[in-house]
Amino acid sequence: MGVDGASTERRSIRGRLSRLSWVQQSLLAGGLITVCWMAIVPADIDRRLVVDVTLLIGGPLALGLTHGKRVGWRVTRPAVRNAVLLGLFVLPFYVVGSTLPTIREFYPIWSTGTAPGEFIPHALKLFTLALAAETYYRGLLCVGVSEIGIGAIFISPVLYMFHHWGKPPIEFVLSGPTDALFGGVDYASNSVLPSVIAHGAGLVLLDWLVLHDPLFDPRPALSVLEWLPVPL
């Protein structure tokens, strides 16, 4: 194909993309982002930060900027209120989860210690990863496409569960409902702030708790959850 042919093909592709609605472009971008992320996501947390910030934050924000959309990046009084309420609601799940054997064997994913000089930078990195995840899942794929109605909260749960494959079974099972819960609160808030706070603070708290002896005997929780068809 000559230069003129290649140029014509590019104009044709741009033309077809420009005819897509914002929702269609968001879903297309979401698919491309997740394919790229899965292909290159590294194990090292510092490299992971670069990849996640570039793809999961930069991608949605860049797309939103070109269309005058904020993909949930806003702080309002309802969003702050809902962030506090959501954080309080999920707090017991993180506390109880930190006592379960499978969780304690898996976390922290990235090595850290309890000394402030070591744990605080680790906590900031975890919070940034949570911000990136929420910008993608609840921003681009939920709040960003809220014009389609309440159905927006059901776009990403399956994908979110898929990305939790390989984590403790109880976390994998709960990831879909958690995605829908976070998406519902963010949808009602028109902001990703609630899920960013709940997710980021939860990850930090979980690592901190796992680095210490369990706050209480896990056996009562295990007896309550033993009906679940997954190891705890």
Side-chain angles (χ1 to χ4, degrees):
M1 181 183 294
V3 175
D4 290 342
S7 178
T8 300
E9 180 66 18
R10 286 194 295 270
R11 286 197 297 270
S12 176
I13 293 173
R14 285 197 297 268
R16 288 195 293 269
L17 290 176
S18 66
R19 289 192 291 271
L20 296 177
S21 68
W22 160 251
V23 173
Q24 291 171 325
Q25 290 189 46
S26 296
L27 297 181
L28 176 60
L32 292 174
I33 288 172
T34 199
V35 168
C36 293
W37 183 85
M38 292 177 64
I40 65 175
V41 62
D44 175 74
I45 189 171
D46 292 320
R47 293 169 55 211
R48 170 75 177 269
L49 278 169
V50 173
V51 170
D52 281 21
V53 169
T54 301
L55 290 180
L56 304 186
I57 294 181
L61 290 184
L63 181 66
L65 183 63
T66 62
H67 291 74
K69 306 286 186 177
R70 301 179 67 177
V71 293
W73 271 48
R74 56 176 59 86
V75 177
T76 62
R77 291 182 66 180
V80 172
R81 178 200 63 210
N82 291 343
V84 173
L85 294 176
L86 182 61
L88 292 175
F89 178 80
V90 301
L91 176 61
F93 292 90
Y94 283 108
V95 172
V96 173
S98 71
T99 70
L100 302 180
T102 55
I103 297 294
R104 296 185 68 84
E105 290 172 6
F106 188 81
Y107 287 93
I109 298 176
W110 295 283
S111 178
T112 185
T114 58
E118 187 174 1
F119 188 79
I120 291 176
H122 174 77
L124 293 174
K125 293 175 184 179
L126 289 181
F127 208 93
T128 303
L129 291 177
L131 173 62
E134 297 307 323
T135 300
Y136 171 68
Y137 292 108
R138 256 64 67 183
L140 179 66
L141 299 180
C142 182
V143 178
V145 295
S146 58
E147 63 193 67
I148 69 174
I150 194 65
I153 71 175
F154 299 111
I155 292 176
S156 64
V158 173
L159 182 62
Y160 193 64
M161 286 188 70
F162 180 72
H163 285 168
H164 278 71
W165 183 262
K167 291 195 173 184
I170 184 65
E171 183 176 355
F172 172 75
V173 168
L174 293 178
S175 60
T178 299
D179 181 281
L181 170 65
F182 282 16
V185 175
D186 284 358
Y187 175 86
S189 308
N190 196 28
S191 168
V192 298
L193 181 65
S195 61
V196 168
I197 297 300
H199 191 180
L203 288 179
V204 173
L205 176 64
L206 182 62
D207 271 11
W208 178 258
L209 293 175
V210 169
L211 289 169
H212 297 79
D213 291 334
L215 291 178
F216 48 82
D217 186 344
R219 285 176 293 185
L222 292 172
S223 64
V224 171
L225 298 173
E226 63 182 2
W227 60 271
L228 290 171
V230 294
L232 299 173

